[in-house]
Each structure stands twice: as C-alpha cells, then as structure tokens.
Amino acid sequence: MSLLGAALLLALAAPGRDAAAARPAKPLLPIQPESDPLPSKGAAGCSFGGRFYSLEDTWHPDLGEPFGIMHCVVCYCEPQRNRRGKPTGKVSCKNMKQDCPTPACADAILLPGHCCRTCPKAAVSIPEKRPEALFDNLEYFQDKDDDLHRNYNDRAYLSSEDSSRDDSRTDFVALLTSGSEPWVPASSAVAKARFSLVRSSLIFSISYERLGQPSRVRFTEPEGTVLFEHPVQKGASPQDSMICGIWRNLQKSSIRLLKVDQLRVSLVTKSHPAGEIRGRIIKHRALFAETFSAILTSVDPTHLGMGGLAMLTLSDTENNLHFVLVTKGLLESADKKSPGLPLRVQILHQDRVLREVLANVSLQEPDFAEVLTGLSSQEMLWLAQGQLKISVEVEGRFRRQIAGHITVRMSCDTIQSVLCGGDALTPTRTGAVGSAKLMLHANGTLEYQVQVAGTGSEVIGITLETKPRRRSKRNVLYDMTHSYRDGMASGTWAQVSGREAHMLLQNELFLNVATTDFDEGELRGQISSLLYSGLLARHQELPIPLAGHFVSPPVRTGSAGHAWVSLDDHCHLHYGIVVAGLGRADDGTVSAHLHGFAELGELQESSSREHKRLLRGFYGTEAQGVVKDLDRELFRHLAQGTAFLQVSTKANPRGEIRGKVHIPNHCEAGGIRLTPEDPEDELPGNPISSNPEELKKDPNSCFFEGQHRAHGSRWAPDYDKKCSVCSCQKHTVICDPVLCQPLNCSQPVHLEDQCCPVCEEKKDILEGQRVEKAQDSSGGCYFDGDKTWRGAGTRWHPVVPPFGLIKCAVCTCKGATGEVHCEKVQCPRLTCSHPVRVSPSDCCKQCPASEQSPVALSDMMQADGPRACRFGRQWYMHNESWHPTVPPFGEMKCITCWCVSGETHCQRQECSPASCSKEGKTQDSCCSKCQVPEDLPEETPELLQEEAKNSWRR
C-alpha cells in the first residue's frame, strides 16, 4: 500500500475537509502529503485521489491497489460558494450498499464491477456489452471445444474480443483533411487517427500522407477552444510517418465531448500554425474488427481538401474481404442536385483491376460498405504485402478520385508474448520463461525476437501456431527453430498471408517452445498487443525475461513474465511489467485478481531492505509506473548490472519470478544529477516557476514575509539568510535552523557567507570557492533537500520536506567528486533499562531515566527502533497487522495490511470454493465456509469445520 493510497483513505474518511487547515505547523510524522492537482485556470471543481472533477460530477472512488474501485461508494462534487462568493466544490461520498434490493434466491452472487448481489440465473439474462458487428452479414466463427483433447490446456486462451475490449476501453477514429474555410490554405494531406479511451487517458496513433513533419497534435472544442496539445518529437514512434501519444487526465467535460462526437483533432505544421489538417473524432462500428487499412489521397494533385480512409477485415471462415469507406471532400464536390451519386470502387494490383464495385451513395449517408468474396491465395498474399490498391471515384460531371494502398493495420501498440509453463498445452512447472517481441511491417514482413531461458533440457523447436483443435492436430504456421542460437530466435517471416496477418492482429496466434523433456511444449504464450504507454524502451529494446529460474534459490513455477525498464533524463525510472501464469490453481480455476508486487533490489544475498524499492502492487497481467526517488545505492547497482526486478506472490513471498536489470547511468540519490539547477524546475506547469498572480489563486501556496511562495518551494528567510531554511508545504511555512556539527580542530574559523564554522585548514578552500561560480560542481556539492550548494568537507543535518530538519542524519560533501553522502546517526548503546529523550528534537536517548512512558508519536521519526506506519488517521507499530477501515464502506475484512519499518503493505485474501453442499459467510469472516446441518451427530461439526478450514486457500 503506497502512502498515496493512505492519503486517499484519509480523504474518504473526511470528504470535503480542508486538509491544510488541520495540519500542524511543524509535521514530525513520516507522512508524504498528497499532491493535489491544480485545476484548470478559472475552473471550479473538486480534487480527489489525484484527479480533478468538475462540479456535479459523480464517480466511484478508486483507492488503488489492492482495494481497487469501491463500487458501493458514490462520490459527488457538490457545488457551493466560498466566503468571497466564488463557486467551488465539496466532495461528499455515500454508501449505496444499504439500498441494494434483497435477492429472490438463496445463492446470490456478486458479479465483478457490481455493488449488489444478483441471482445466478439472472446473471445470464444481463445483456453483455458487445461491439456492434461490422456489417449485418459479417460472419463470426464460434469455436466448438467439444473435440479438444481434455489433457490440453485451454485456460490461457483469450479471444480477440475478450483480449482487446473491456468496459473501461472505448475506441474512436478520425479522418483528417484540410478544412473548407476560405481563410485556411488548402492541402492535399490526409491522416487517419485512431484513439482508445482507457479510464481518463486518451491514447492515440496517427498515420499521415503528403504532410511535412508535424509539430503538434491539437485537440479543440467545436468552437475552436484548445483543450490539449501534444508536442511531436522525432524518434518517439515505432514507425515513420506515425505519431504516438497520450492525453492523460481528461476532464469530464472533455470526455463528454468525445463520447458525443464533438471533439476535434488537428495536426499543426510550421507552415500551418493554425492546423494543416483536422477532423472530428467519432465512434465507428468497423474499429472492432479492423485488421487492414488504407489512407486515400487525391489522385489529381490539383484537387485539394479531400481524402478518405478504408477499414478492412476478413471473415473468420472464408476469404471474404469486408471494408468500410469514410470520405471527406469527395462527395461534397459532386453535383449536389443528384439524389444518388454514382460511386466506383476498384481493387487494383499494379494498375490492373482485380475487383470492381458500382453503387449509388448520398451526402446524407456518405459511408459505404461492401464485401469482396472469395479472394484467391495470391490475392491474400498481395493483401498482406501491401500490394493491393483501393481506388474510389465519383463519376459524373465533377469527376473526383482518391486512392491508396491497403496495408496491415499500423499502430503504436507493442506486439508481444510471455511464454510460461502454466499456459503450455500440457502445463509444466519448471521455472523457465519465454519472452517475445514482434513487429508486423507494412509490407507484410513479420519480424520476431524470442528469448528462452531456464529450460532444464535443450530447446528443439520454436513455432508459431494457431489454437489447436485436437491433440493430434497442432497447426504450425511457421517454424522459427532454424534461427535459434544461444537462447534467442531472431529473424523475419516474409511470406505472411492475409489470413495469418489477420489472426495475428486479432490476438489469435501462439508461440510454442518444445524441449527434449517436453517435446509437445514446455512453454507457450498467446501473442497480444499492449496499448501504447509512452515507454520508449518498448520500441527500442528487448524486454527483460522474468523467470522462477532466476530467483535465489530457484523456484519451480509455471508462471513467467517480462519487463521494460529505463531511466529518463531526470533520473526517473519508468517500468512496464507483463506476467502470465500467475494465480492459477491446480484444478484449473483462475482467481479473479492476481496478487503480487514488484520490487527493485540487489542481486546479492546480503542486500538490505534499504536497497529495495516497492514499485507497485498490481492485479491483472500488467503493471506500469514511474519512480522518481530511487536512492544512490540502487542507481549504482543499476549501472553495474547487479540489480533485479522481482515479482512476488502470496505462494512465494520471497520472489516467484525475477530478472536482471542493467541500465548504465550517472544518477544520484533523489533523482538528480550534479547540475546547478534541477531540470524539473524549468518544466512547464511546475508550481515553483508559476507567476505571482497564479500563486495567489493557489490554495496550497504560502504567504511569508510579504511574498507568495509556491507549494514545495524552499528558500532562506529574510530574517536569517545564513542559518535558517524555510519550505512551503500546502499553505504551511516550516522554518528550521541549520545545525552545525562539532569540529575536530582547536581553532574554528567563522566565514562571512557560512553559517557554521570551519577548521583553519578548510578556510582557504572555502574562500577560493566563493570566487568561483556556484555552478562549478568541483568546488562543492548541490543538495536537493534545500536546493543549496555546500562547500567541500561541509557536514550538516539535512532538511527533507515535508519532515523539515532531520537530526538523525548527517550529510557530508565530498569535494573531490561533488557527491553528497548522507548516513544515519549511530546512537550509543545504553546500559540503563529505561533511557529517555531529554529534548523532543534530540536524535538519541540518554541515561538515566525514570519509568518509560508510552511511545509517543514524535518518537517515530527518531533513529532508534523500527519506524511505525500511519494509515488513514491511525498509527501502527512495526510488524503490526490490521484490517483497514474505509469510510463510509466500513471495515475491509478481506484485506490485511501490515507495517514493515514505516512502510504499509496491503494484500487481499483469496477465497477458494468450499468443497461442501452448503456454504455461508459469518459476520466476522471474509470467506464462505461450510455450514453444519442441524440434524448431524454431535461429533460431525468438528469434522466439517476442519474440512472447511482446509478448503480455504491461505
């Protein structure tokens, strides 16, 4: 459980309360305050859980892992006015569970994502949220698993519909052409933009033709108000002439515009600062099945402002090609008096017409859909290789024509696969791993890289396959074994047909690794696409394999995974993790959530907890995030290649799968390099660089000595420029004196610009440093805590926001290297039985002492003894465990939290079905257990109770 999660629980406990008003003047507790996002300029609303909500918005609070979304709690941003009469918002939350109707059956179940229980039979009648069919006559092939051999493992298979769609994702498309406005220069450029809305993030992939290098992607309202701009950077996309990006944290108003087809997108170039091409973002039924596409541009270069796109797919049973045409500017230029416009659609290969369709369309229904039946094997090969061309022509007095080549669907997503023993056709538990990264190029060439590690015997086969129909009928599409050397199969497959490309993009293909001991397959994994995440390492590097074989001691597990890890220019660590085979029981059941956490640590067995970092707990098969405050020791191990990424589970808390991480770097603790200024201070939107007028409106800013200070800023106060340091923490100013360390010299010297005295032999060095510029790192050290430079050899107690002055740590500036070395103060061993702390600000306790008093909260930041944890409004001691309470939901009996040296960890308890005829849940338990019939003999209940206990999975 992260500290942010604890802050969210605190927010739920007191919705709408001003946290700044309740905070003490000088925090002594190890709580990182929640960094509330700043609302848009002039926007009124509510900040909750790291997000901004507009007035009258409602939502289910997301408490993070392992709690997840509280579906029985509804929060509301209630409009009100402050003392000055300005509109503002107040968060109020309500528990809906008491409003649930009583089920009509005794065996009611709780469906995922629901608050109230329903009867099992009623669950069948609930209409599932399915995408619309591409056309009414589009064929969907339903697999019949009756003839699948029972020994074959079918648990891992996800259909293209299951793996590519869920309730939290919605897809959109936009056709971009130059506008019809007379004041905007016309252009022949055309672009296709595909969008995926996942929660509050809009992920987009944009392909374009006849366009110079775009500088920005601009999102606007219908009236032209700019909502968001994404700068286009070279090298940030896996393909040329493609733009990849994410618009994060969309406001509710923007999501509403998106869902009613009122959001606009445009591409800005240097020659067209107002946007060269633009279009409206819309939902389209063809997006679900699309596996091929085409961008259509004007054949006549003098015909500007027109274009189109084609979305194509294959039938599941026959070689029938379905397509939908979306055009802009083509029909508008035709004779508008005609009720039906004659349209000619041709499929060509090297200017030779293969297929032709004639139809009449209207301006009211411009989209055109058709099916081309019975494609030959040669046409299917040309389809995958991008050698087919589609041409659309409006006949008549105003003849216009647009055309473009059909290619496989291109996107910014990553095609990958994790191969594990648990997903093998006959499941294995060897601790081995397979990791694959693939790329399907526009010419139909499939580039593959498959890593294999940890197998107990020799690899004898790596094959690309379809889902098997019978035990004796494994369908191998391509054998990669010839390219396998030293644990890696790498090469290209140039003869991919249209059917095989279609199945690949529909997540219907698998990779299988056979070994001497398992000739049918030791590892297997389904190939699927990961949505673009902004992690460039996914496009530039191979993933790091994660296997039980790499854990010390090795773990014989059927799970596996891989991860991408990188450091950016600010020394922030970005990671993305994919796992497979976790949470599988021996009887084939799949748990609803996957328990586990990922941590970064040293490879050495003697590594201490200080050099480990909890990244995040996660459910499902993916986890990703950013860590901004790694310590120096971890940076050193990353640079040396002695660090690892590890995923642990309830069954293997010391690690189930692990992989080695090697990232050369020159980073320092806290995520800074030895530069004069922190690069993040200059980033747009950083509150430290805000102007005075914006600071006045910021409720988290501080007013001190006649000046507004931004939240998080640090400065030397006017009343004491040398020996005091102040910081602003959410409307609260904290000022601490600079403490001087005792010197090991008889004649200390006081310098004019230094607070603390120095020894005589250091005087000349420090005076020479004053002459040099402060930016010269060779003359001292830059300390990120108070944003100041220290002279070589200087020792001081660090100031670490939001804690303030930390007396239990001493930092030293190493002048030769410019490094800041901080270490914990070592308290002396005391012989007395009841030591005390003379002053609350002292680090170490002293003797003698009277009878020890109860542990005070102020002791929790001291050096002696493990740190306690704060969760919500309660404090818990080291090794203490508890069930968290989440108002207004109540106690979470299925979740257990525990405190480990100041860090709170939480985990959800899993319940397995009780192996009995009748089960029930007591008021104080999480899992159902067998109930004892009333008419049984007296000695029977004890046996049933023991059986029920054994049926729980601990």
Side-chain angles (χ1 to χ4, degrees), residues 819-853:
E819 296 179 354
V820 176
H821 178 71
C822 297
E823 59 184 9
K824 192 175 182 180
V825 172
Q826 298 297 324
C827 293
R829 291 184 176 273
L830 302 178
T831 58
C832 53
S833 58
H834 301 289
V836 295
R837 205 178 312 279
V838 177
S839 173
S841 62
D842 290 345
C843 177
C844 301
K845 294 183 179 181
Q846 301 178 11
C847 289
S850 58
E851 190 67 25
Q852 184 180 7
S853 59

Side-chain angles (χ1 to χ4, degrees), residues 302-380:
T302 62
H303 294 162
L304 306 178
M306 66 173 59
L309 60 88
M311 294 174 281
L312 309 95
T313 190
L314 289 173
S315 300
D316 286 337
T317 55
E318 304 292 339
N319 290 342
N320 299 333
L321 183 64
H322 304 250
F323 68 88
V324 172
L325 293 176
V326 179
T327 64
K328 188 176 178 182
L330 179 68
L331 304 178
E332 289 83 348
S333 61
D335 188 359
K336 297 182 176 57
K337 296 181 180 180
S338 176
L341 303 176
L343 195 71
R344 181 190 301 271
V345 181
Q346 294 179 333
I347 305 295
L348 306 95
H349 176 257
Q350 296 180 351
D351 296 331
R352 182 170 64 91
V353 178
L354 301 179
R355 306 293 180 102
E356 186 175 83
V357 178
L358 299 176
N360 288 331
V361 296
S362 64
L363 290 174
Q364 290 71 30
E365 298 180 0
D367 290 6
F368 175 73
E370 188 55 86
V371 184
L372 304 177
T373 60
L375 268 67
S376 65
S377 58
Q378 184 62 62
E379 289 174 328
M380 293 287 283

Side-chain angles (χ1 to χ4, degrees), residues 107-119:
D107 56 345
I109 59 175
L110 184 62
L111 297 175
H114 291 247
C115 173
C116 303
R117 293 180 176 270
T118 56
C119 296

Side-chain angles (χ1 to χ4, degrees), residues 147 158 243 276 305 329 347-348 367 395 422 473 527 534 593 609 616 636 753 779 814 827 949:
D147 56 351
L158 297 175
I243 303 171
E276 184 167 347
I347 305 295
L348 306 95
D367 290 6
E395 299 181 331
K473 287 192 175 182
I527 300 174
H593 299 289
R609 286 195 61 85
R616 66 169 288 190
R636 182 175 64 83
D753 59 345
K814 297 182 179 180
C827 293
K949 290 181 180 179

Side-chain angles (χ1 to χ4, degrees), residues 429 555 557 559 579-584 594-598 618 646-657 907 910 954:
R429 299 179 65 87
V555 177
T557 176
S559 60
V579 296
L582 290 177
R584 303 288 172 85
L594 303 178
H595 288 283
F597 61 91
F618 62 94
Q646 179 169 288
V647 176
S648 302
T649 61
K650 192 174 183 180
N652 292 285
R654 295 188 177 182
E656 180 154 338
I657 55 178
Q907 192 174 55
E910 282 209 61
R954 297 296 182 183

